[in-house]
Amino acid sequence: MLVWTLVGIAGAGALGFLALSRGEQVSAAWLLVAALCTYAIGYRFHSAFISARIFALDDARLTPAERLNDGRDFVPTNRWVVFGHHFAAIAGPGPLVGPTLAAQFGYLPGVLWIVVGVVLGGAVQDMVILCASIRRDGKSLGQMAKEEIGPVAGFTALVAVLGIMIVLIAVLALVVVNALKSSPWGTVTIGLTIPIAMLMGVYMRWLRPGRVLEATGIGIVLLVVALYAGRWVAEQPALAATFTLSGKTLALLVMAYGFAASVIPVWLLLAPRDYLSAFVKIGVVVALAIGILVALPPLQMPALTQFTDGTGPIFAGALFPFAFITIACGSISGFHALIASGTTPKLLERERDARFIGYGAMLMESFVAVMALIAACALTPGVYFAINAPAAALGPTVQTAAEAVAKWGFVVTPAELEQLAKQVGETSLLSRTGGAPSLAVGMAHLFSHSLGGSAAMALWYHFALMFEALFILTTLDAGTRVGRFMVQDLGRHLWEPFGRTGWMPAVFLSSAVIVAMWGHFLWQGVIDPLGGVNTLWPLFGISNQLLAAVALCVGTTIIVKMGKARHAWATLLPLAWLTLVTMSACLAKIFSAQPRLGFIAHAHMLQAARAAGTLPAGVKSAGDLARMVANDYLDAGVTAFFALSFVVVLADSAREWFAVISGAKAPRSTEVPFERRAAVAGD
Amino acid sequence: MFRRIIGAPDYEGYLTHLAARHPEITPLSREAFARDALVRRYDRPGSRCC
C-alpha cells in the first residue's frame, strides 16, 4: 500500500507541476511521470474493480477459446501474444494525429484528457466489451446491441458503423494526400510499398506458401530500399518533377488504390500489407518510446495557448468540447469495441487475462498518444503552427507565414522554415495540414538526436512519414473492403444477387459505391481552401466518440442485466461525459452562428457572398462555391444523422435499464453458463 | 509467437491441435490452410481500427 501511495503522490505531483508551471520550459519527463503513475493507479485499482466486482472474472471458467477450440479462429493463446495482437489491431494513426492537432490548445488539455480519459473511459470501454464478449462466445458489438438492447438499437448501430467508417477512411486518406502533396520522395517511397506488399503476397502464395515471417522479413528490408529509392528519385530533377503530384491527382490515386484493394484477392495486397504494418507498428512504437526516454526533450509549447477560446487556425472550436473531440482515439475510441468483440475474445486462454489485454493494451495506446503529444510540443510553437495551419491563414511564402505566426504571438524566422524544409528533404513544410508531417518532423528530431545526427534528419523524416502512411493505407484498404461487405449486406435486402460476395458485378458495384462515398468527402477536403482537415477531423472525432458512447450503452445494459446496477457507474460516468461532449460538439457544428465553426452558418456566408456577386477568399469559381454550399449542408446532415442514431440507442438502452431497475423486468444475464476448466498439469 | 501477434495463420499450431483433439480428421495442406485463413479473416465485416 505504501508503494501505491508513493505512486499516487508522484503522479499527482507531476500533474500538478504541469498544470501550474507557467512561462518556463518543462521537461517531457514530467509528462511521462504523470502518465505512467496515473496508468499504474488506474490499472491497479479501477481495472481490478471491473475484474472482481463487476464481472467476477474467474480463471476456473472455460473461455470460448478453450470450449470452442478449432485450431483456427478459437485458439487458446499466451496472454503476452494476445496482448501484442490486440494492441497491433487497436493501434492506428488516430492516436498519433489527434494529439498532434490538439496541441493547438497547448500541452496541458491534451495530457490531462489523454491520461484521465483513458483510465476512467477508454480502457473501461475496451475491457467491459471484451469481458462481455468472452462471456458470450465472442459475439460482436452489433450482435450484443441487438440481443441486449433491442433490434432497433442493433440496426441503428450497424448503419452508424458504416457511416463512421466512411468518414474515417476519408479523413485518413486526406492525411496521406496532404503528407505526400508536392513531395516526390514521400510519394515514391509510399508508392513502392504497394509492389512490395504484392511481392510478399506472391512469395507467400506460390514461392514459399504460408511462410509469413520470411516474407515479412523480406518486406522490411525492401521498405528500407524504398526509402533510399525515394531519396534518389527526389535528387533527379526530371524524375522528381514526374512524381511531384498535386492534391487532386493524389486523391484520385488513393481512390483507385482503395477500389483495387477491395476487388483484388486479399492474398495479393491486403494480407501482406497487414503483416508488414503490424510489425512496423510495434517496432516504431518501441523506438519512439526509447527516443523520447533518451532525449527527454523540453516542451517548447506553452501549457495553454490563446486558442482555447476557439480562434485557433488548425481547427475551429473552443477547448470544450473540441479538445476532447480532436484527441479521440488516444483517450477513448469507439472502434476498439469492434476489435474487443472481434478476434481478441476468441484467443483468451484465461478469463482474467481480459484485464491485462482489455485495460492494459488501451493504456499502451494512450501512451502512444502521449508520445505523439510530446513529439508535437517539442517543436517550437512557430514551427508547429507553420506546418499545421492552413494556407489561407499563413499565405504562400515563408515570409507571410512568419508574419502570420508572429501575429499569433510565436516566433519563427523565414530562414528557419527554409532550413528545416531543406533538412528533411522537402521543398516546403508550410501548411502540411493533417498532423502527419509535423509528427514526422518531431520524430525525426528525436531519432536524429540519438542516432545519426542532423545528417540523418531527412531519412528519419521520410521513415516516419512512411510508417504513418503504412498505418493509414492499411486502414483504408481493409476499411474499404469491410465497407463493401456492409454495402452488399444492406443491398441484399433490395436485390438478392447484390449480396453475393463472389459475383464480380456486385463486387465491382459495391466497391465503387463505397469508394464514391468516402471519395466524395476526400475530394471536398482536397478542394477546400481551408485544407479540409479542419472540417473532416472534428466530424471523424464526433463519429468515433459516438460509437464509443454506443459501446458504453451496450456495456451498461449488460452490467445492469447482470444484476450489478450498483456498479454501473463505471460505464455510466464516461457515458454521461461523452454524451455531454458529443452532443455539444454536434450542436456547435450544425447550429453555431460562427461561419468557421457551424456548417449552416458557413453555407449562409457563402450564399450571401454569391448574392452579393463576390467570391470569398480562396474560392476559385462560382461552381466551386455552389459545391461548397452543398457540402456544408451534407456535413450538417451527416452530423445530425450521427447524433440522432446515438439518441435512439441511448433511449432504447435507458428504457431497458429502467425496466430492470424498477423491477418490471427480471435482471437476466445472457452469458453462456459457467463451465469449469479441467485442471491441467502445469497450471 | 510473432506469427500470432501479426495475425498470421499458425499451421503448426493447427496440426498440433488436430493431432491432439481430432486424430480422425485428415488435416488441410499448408496451402489450403493459408487460403482458408485469409477467407476467414477478410471475407466478413470485422475488426478495423483507426
Side-chain angles (χ1 to χ4, degrees):
Chain A
M1 209 55 221
L2 177 70
V3 176
W4 290 107
T5 313
L6 291 177
V7 171
I9 292 170
L15 275 175
F17 179 81
L18 286 170
L20 296 176
S21 67
R22 290 285 181 277
E24 71 272 31
Q25 279 182 4
V26 173
S27 164
W30 289 99
L31 229 146
L32 291 174
V33 171
L36 293 174
C37 291
T38 314
Y39 296 159
I41 301 262
Y43 187 78
R44 169 64 187 81
F45 296 101
H46 202 38
S47 76
F49 167 79
I50 298 169
S51 170
R53 295 294 175 82
I54 296 185
F55 284 96
L57 296 182
D58 183 356
D59 280 350
R61 188 177 182 140
L62 272 185
T63 60
E66 289 188 299
R67 193 173 48 249
L68 306 173
N69 188 349
D70 59 4
R72 298 174 180 186
D73 296 337
F74 290 88
V75 183
T77 308
N78 174 281
R79 65 203 300 239
W80 289 95
V81 175
V82 187
F83 182 90
H85 177 83
H86 183 73
F87 175 71
I90 62 172
L96 298 174
V97 174
T100 306
L101 299 181
Q104 131 167 317
F105 294 129
Y107 67 77
L108 189 60
V111 68
L112 284 178
W113 176 235
I114 292 171
V115 305
V116 175
V118 74
V119 163
L120 292 175
V124 174
Q125 173 210 256
D126 290 17
M127 181 177 169
V128 165
I129 295 297
L130 180 60
C131 292
S133 183
I134 293 174
R135 290 274 172 87
R136 287 163 184 76
D137 283 344
K139 279 203 179 115
S140 71
L141 182 73
Q143 284 171 310
M144 289 194 284
K146 195 166 127 198
E147 286 168 19
E148 304 294 330
I149 306 175
V152 176
F155 180 75
T156 313
L158 202 69
V159 179
V161 167
L162 182 63
I164 293 163
M165 201 76 132
I166 289 164
V167 175
L168 165 72
I169 297 176
V171 73
L172 292 182
L174 185 61
V175 169
V176 169
V177 166
N178 284 350
L180 299 186
K181 209 159 41 179
S182 328
S183 165
W185 185 344
T187 307
V188 169
T189 305
I190 312 301
L192 280 175
T193 62
I194 298 168
I196 290 173
M198 292 168 101
L199 197 71
M200 285 170 62
V202 169
Y203 185 91
M204 289 186 286
R205 182 78 166 191
W206 285 315
L207 301 179
R208 301 265 293 158
R211 307 288 174 170
V212 172
L213 288 186
E214 289 174 20
T216 308
I218 295 172
I220 288 173
V221 172
L222 289 177
L223 283 185
V224 178
V225 175
L227 197 58
Y228 282 91
R231 180 167 76 174
W232 182 79
V233 167
E235 284 165 354
Q236 319 295 317
L239 278 175
T242 315
F243 289 99
T244 303
L245 304 177
S246 70
K248 286 183 181 180
T249 314
L250 283 164
L252 291 174
L253 287 174
V254 170
M255 286 184 231
Y257 169 74
F259 181 81
S262 170
V263 296
I264 65 177
V266 281
W267 61 264
L268 186 56
L269 183 59
L270 235 60
R273 189 188 261 293
D274 248 8
Y275 298 145
L276 203 56
S277 170
F279 223 95
V280 172
K281 201 180 282 186
I282 293 176
V284 172
V285 164
V286 172
L288 186 57
I290 295 173
I292 286 182
L293 282 178
V294 171
L296 284 182
L299 303 179
Q300 311 279 346
M301 188 68 80
L304 290 168
T305 66
Q306 75 270 34
F307 299 133
T308 47
D309 62 359
T311 56
I314 298 174
F315 57 91
L319 183 71
F320 181 88
F322 287 98
F324 308 97
I325 292 293
T326 306
I327 290 171
C329 311
S331 203
I332 304 184
S333 175
F335 267 88
H336 297 182
L338 303 181
I339 316 279
S341 62
T343 329
T344 310
K346 301 182 178 117
L347 298 175
L348 255 65
E349 204 168 20
R350 298 286 181 274
E351 267 204 339
R352 278 167 46 185
D353 292 351
R355 179 180 170 197
F356 175 57
I357 290 152
Y359 201 94
M362 182 60 205
L363 292 180
M364 178 104 160
E365 164 109 332
S366 166
F367 189 62
V368 172
V370 168
M371 293 195 291
L373 185 73
I374 291 176
C377 294
L379 298 174
T380 59
V383 167
Y384 168 83
F385 283 104
I387 300 176
N388 284 299
L394 289 178
T397 64
V398 283
Q399 281 78 20
T400 57
E403 282 164 28
V405 168
K407 276 202 206 96
W408 295 325
F410 301 110
V411 185
V412 69
T413 63
E416 266 178 277
L417 289 172
E418 264 170 358
Q419 162 79 5
L420 184 64
K422 208 161 154 192
Q423 266 184 345
V424 300
E426 295 279 358
T427 44
S428 163
L429 280 173
L430 293 185
S431 302
R432 305 296 291 269
T433 56
S438 77
L439 179 64
V441 171
M443 282 172 71
H445 260 302
L446 287 171
F447 286 154
S448 62
H449 177 270
S450 16
L451 265 177
S454 61
M457 266 288 273
L459 277 170
W460 281 122
Y461 172 82
H462 284 91
F463 170 77
L465 216 54
M466 175 179 78
F467 139 80
E468 289 176 82
L470 200 62
F471 261 34
I472 291 181
L473 292 179
T474 315
T475 301
L476 185 142
D477 53 23
T480 305
R481 201 178 163 87
V482 167
R484 177 195 119 201
F485 282 108
M486 293 168 98
V487 168
Q488 282 197 284
D489 197 43
L490 289 170
R492 187 166 53 91
H493 300 293
L494 300 175
W495 188 48
E496 193 276 326
F498 191 71
R500 292 180 202 159
T501 51
W503 190 47
M504 274 302 150
V507 168
F508 273 74
L509 187 62
S510 52
S511 301
V513 167
I514 194 89
V515 172
M517 289 202 271
W518 63 254
H520 175 86
F521 285 100
L522 170 60
W523 193 255
Q524 167 191 343
V526 169
I527 61 169
D528 183 343
L530 289 175
V533 170
N534 58 2
T535 306
L536 277 177
W537 191 266
L539 208 54
F540 158 69
I542 286 173
S543 64
N544 182 318
Q545 299 298 286
L546 281 177
L547 184 58
V550 167
L552 287 167
C553 281
V554 173
T556 308
T557 311
I558 283 171
I559 294 173
V560 168
K561 285 189 163 180
M562 286 166 80
K564 301 273 176 79
R566 67 188 181 285
H567 295 321
W569 61 267
T571 47
L572 276 173
L573 182 76
L575 176 58
W577 174 250
L578 281 187
T579 307
L580 187 68
V581 165
T582 50
M583 287 300 131
S584 322
C586 285
L587 291 176
K589 290 309 290 183
I590 301 175
F591 296 114
S592 166
Q594 299 174 42
R596 61 188 304 270
L597 183 58
F599 291 128
I600 293 178
H602 190 251
H604 284 168
M605 182 199 78
L606 294 174
Q607 284 164 324
R610 184 166 54 187
T614 56
L615 287 177
V619 183
K620 293 195 185 72
S621 68
D624 273 4
L625 190 136
R627 253 195 305 280
M628 287 171 71
V629 170
N631 282 330
D632 277 331
Y633 283 109
L634 177 69
D635 290 341
V638 168
T639 311
F641 162 74
F642 287 142
L644 285 177
S645 307
F646 170 63
V647 170
V648 168
V649 175
L650 182 65
D652 216 12
S653 312
R655 192 182 41 77
E656 283 289 308
W657 307 338
F658 287 117
V660 173
I661 293 170
S662 68
K665 199 169 175 177
R668 191 177 312 130
S669 170
T670 53
E671 289 178 359
V672 173
F674 180 91
E675 209 179 319
R676 184 173 288 280
R677 296 182 55 238
V680 179
D683 271 9
Chain B
M1 181 179 119
F2 283 118
R3 253 203 305 266
R4 284 224 82 92
I5 289 182
I6 65 174
D10 178 6
Y11 185 63
E12 281 72 25
Y14 162 77
L15 288 184
T16 320
H17 167 78
L18 278 195
R21 300 274 192 103
H22 315 282
E24 72 286 358
I25 298 177
T26 320
L28 296 172
S29 69
R30 183 182 286 276
E31 289 81 355
F33 179 77
R35 270 168 220 207
D36 187 64
L38 284 185
V39 170
R40 284 158 173 277
R41 181 159 168 181
Y42 291 99
D43 276 22
R44 67 180 158 202
S47 47
R48 192 47 50 184
C49 217
C50 37

Short mmCIF file of all heavy atoms in Angstrom, two decimals, chain A residues 150-173:
data_model
loop_
_atom_site.label_atom_id
_atom_site.label_comp_id
_atom_site.label_asym_id
_atom_site.label_seq_id
_atom_site.Cartn_x
_atom_site.Cartn_y
_atom_site.Cartn_z
N GLY A 150 -31.99 -4.27 -28.09
CA GLY A 150 -33.16 -4.50 -28.91
C GLY A 150 -32.82 -4.36 -30.39
O GLY A 150 -31.76 -3.86 -30.74
N PRO A 151 -33.73 -4.79 -31.27
CA PRO A 151 -33.44 -4.78 -32.71
C PRO A 151 -33.24 -3.37 -33.27
O PRO A 151 -32.43 -3.18 -34.17
CB PRO A 151 -34.67 -5.45 -33.34
CG PRO A 151 -35.71 -5.47 -32.27
CD PRO A 151 -35.02 -5.42 -30.96
N VAL A 152 -33.97 -2.38 -32.71
CA VAL A 152 -33.83 -1.01 -33.21
C VAL A 152 -32.41 -0.52 -32.95
O VAL A 152 -31.72 -0.03 -33.86
CB VAL A 152 -34.85 -0.07 -32.53
CG1 VAL A 152 -34.63 1.36 -32.97
CG2 VAL A 152 -36.27 -0.53 -32.86
N ALA A 153 -31.95 -0.69 -31.71
CA ALA A 153 -30.59 -0.26 -31.36
C ALA A 153 -29.58 -1.02 -32.20
O ALA A 153 -28.58 -0.46 -32.67
CB ALA A 153 -30.34 -0.48 -29.88
N GLY A 154 -29.81 -2.31 -32.40
CA GLY A 154 -28.87 -3.13 -33.17
C GLY A 154 -28.72 -2.62 -34.59
O GLY A 154 -27.61 -2.45 -35.08
N PHE A 155 -29.86 -2.34 -35.24
CA PHE A 155 -29.82 -1.89 -36.63
C PHE A 155 -29.20 -0.50 -36.73
O PHE A 155 -28.36 -0.23 -37.59
CB PHE A 155 -31.23 -1.89 -37.22
CG PHE A 155 -31.26 -1.44 -38.65
CD1 PHE A 155 -30.84 -2.30 -39.66
CD2 PHE A 155 -31.69 -0.18 -39.00
CE1 PHE A 155 -30.85 -1.89 -40.99
CE2 PHE A 155 -31.70 0.25 -40.33
CZ PHE A 155 -31.29 -0.63 -41.32
N THR A 156 -29.60 0.39 -35.79
CA THR A 156 -29.04 1.74 -35.80
C THR A 156 -27.53 1.70 -35.64
O THR A 156 -26.80 2.39 -36.35
CB THR A 156 -29.64 2.56 -34.64
OG1 THR A 156 -31.05 2.37 -34.66
CG2 THR A 156 -29.33 4.03 -34.78
N ALA A 157 -27.05 0.84 -34.74
CA ALA A 157 -25.62 0.74 -34.52
C ALA A 157 -24.92 0.29 -35.79
O ALA A 157 -23.86 0.80 -36.16
CB ALA A 157 -25.32 -0.23 -33.37
N LEU A 158 -25.53 -0.65 -36.51
CA LEU A 158 -24.94 -1.18 -37.74
C LEU A 158 -24.79 -0.09 -38.80
O LEU A 158 -23.73 0.07 -39.42
CB LEU A 158 -25.84 -2.30 -38.27
CG LEU A 158 -25.16 -3.30 -39.20
CD1 LEU A 158 -24.18 -4.14 -38.43
CD2 LEU A 158 -26.21 -4.16 -39.89
N VAL A 159 -25.86 0.68 -39.01
CA VAL A 159 -25.82 1.73 -40.03
C VAL A 159 -24.83 2.82 -39.61
O VAL A 159 -24.06 3.33 -40.43
CB VAL A 159 -27.22 2.33 -40.25
CG1 VAL A 159 -27.16 3.44 -41.28
CG2 VAL A 159 -28.18 1.24 -40.73
N ALA A 160 -24.82 3.13 -38.30
CA ALA A 160 -23.91 4.17 -37.82
C ALA A 160 -22.47 3.74 -38.03
O ALA A 160 -21.62 4.55 -38.42
CB ALA A 160 -24.17 4.45 -36.34
N VAL A 161 -22.16 2.45 -37.82
CA VAL A 161 -20.79 1.97 -38.01
C VAL A 161 -20.36 2.20 -39.47
O VAL A 161 -19.25 2.63 -39.75
CB VAL A 161 -20.65 0.48 -37.63
CG1 VAL A 161 -19.33 -0.08 -38.12
CG2 VAL A 161 -20.76 0.32 -36.13
N LEU A 162 -21.26 1.95 -40.41
CA LEU A 162 -20.94 2.17 -41.82
C LEU A 162 -20.63 3.65 -42.08
O LEU A 162 -19.64 3.99 -42.73
CB LEU A 162 -22.09 1.69 -42.71
CG LEU A 162 -21.85 1.83 -44.21
CD1 LEU A 162 -20.69 0.97 -44.67
CD2 LEU A 162 -23.11 1.46 -45.00
N GLY A 163 -21.48 4.53 -41.53
CA GLY A 163 -21.26 5.96 -41.71
C GLY A 163 -19.94 6.42 -41.12
O GLY A 163 -19.19 7.18 -41.73
N ILE A 164 -19.62 5.89 -39.94
CA ILE A 164 -18.38 6.26 -39.27
C ILE A 164 -17.18 5.79 -40.08
O ILE A 164 -16.19 6.49 -40.23
CB ILE A 164 -18.37 5.65 -37.85
CG1 ILE A 164 -19.46 6.31 -37.01
CG2 ILE A 164 -17.03 5.79 -37.20
CD1 ILE A 164 -19.82 5.55 -35.77
N MET A 165 -17.30 4.58 -40.62
CA MET A 165 -16.24 4.01 -41.45
C MET A 165 -15.92 4.93 -42.62
O MET A 165 -14.76 5.15 -42.96
CB MET A 165 -16.76 2.67 -41.97
CG MET A 165 -15.67 1.77 -42.42
SD MET A 165 -14.91 1.09 -40.96
CE MET A 165 -14.87 -0.55 -41.40
N ILE A 166 -16.97 5.46 -43.25
CA ILE A 166 -16.78 6.31 -44.43
C ILE A 166 -16.03 7.58 -44.05
O ILE A 166 -15.06 7.98 -44.71
CB ILE A 166 -18.15 6.61 -45.07
CG1 ILE A 166 -18.68 5.34 -45.72
CG2 ILE A 166 -18.05 7.73 -46.09
CD1 ILE A 166 -20.14 5.39 -46.04
N VAL A 167 -16.46 8.22 -42.97
CA VAL A 167 -15.79 9.45 -42.53
C VAL A 167 -14.34 9.15 -42.13
O VAL A 167 -13.41 9.88 -42.46
CB VAL A 167 -16.56 10.10 -41.36
CG1 VAL A 167 -15.81 11.31 -40.84
CG2 VAL A 167 -17.95 10.49 -41.81
N LEU A 168 -14.15 8.02 -41.43
CA LEU A 168 -12.80 7.63 -41.01
C LEU A 168 -11.87 7.47 -42.20
O LEU A 168 -10.76 8.02 -42.23
CB LEU A 168 -12.87 6.32 -40.22
CG LEU A 168 -11.52 5.60 -40.01
CD1 LEU A 168 -10.67 6.35 -39.01
CD2 LEU A 168 -11.71 4.17 -39.56
N ILE A 169 -12.31 6.73 -43.22
CA ILE A 169 -11.44 6.48 -44.37
C ILE A 169 -11.14 7.80 -45.08
O ILE A 169 -10.01 8.07 -45.47
CB ILE A 169 -12.09 5.48 -45.34
CG1 ILE A 169 -12.27 4.14 -44.65
CG2 ILE A 169 -11.24 5.31 -46.59
CD1 ILE A 169 -12.99 3.11 -45.49
N ALA A 170 -12.17 8.66 -45.22
CA ALA A 170 -11.97 9.92 -45.92
C ALA A 170 -10.93 10.78 -45.22
O ALA A 170 -10.02 11.31 -45.86
CB ALA A 170 -13.30 10.67 -46.02
N VAL A 171 -11.03 10.89 -43.90
CA VAL A 171 -10.10 11.79 -43.20
C VAL A 171 -8.68 11.22 -43.23
O VAL A 171 -7.70 11.94 -43.40
CB VAL A 171 -10.58 12.12 -41.77
CG1 VAL A 171 -10.43 10.96 -40.84
CG2 VAL A 171 -9.81 13.30 -41.22
N LEU A 172 -8.57 9.90 -43.10
CA LEU A 172 -7.23 9.31 -43.14
C LEU A 172 -6.61 9.46 -44.52
O LEU A 172 -5.42 9.74 -44.67
CB LEU A 172 -7.30 7.84 -42.74
CG LEU A 172 -7.65 7.58 -41.28
CD1 LEU A 172 -7.65 6.09 -40.98
CD2 LEU A 172 -6.68 8.29 -40.35
N ALA A 173 -7.44 9.28 -45.57
CA ALA A 173 -6.94 9.45 -46.93
C ALA A 173 -6.46 10.89 -47.12
O ALA A 173 -5.42 11.13 -47.74
CB ALA A 173 -8.03 9.11 -47.93
#
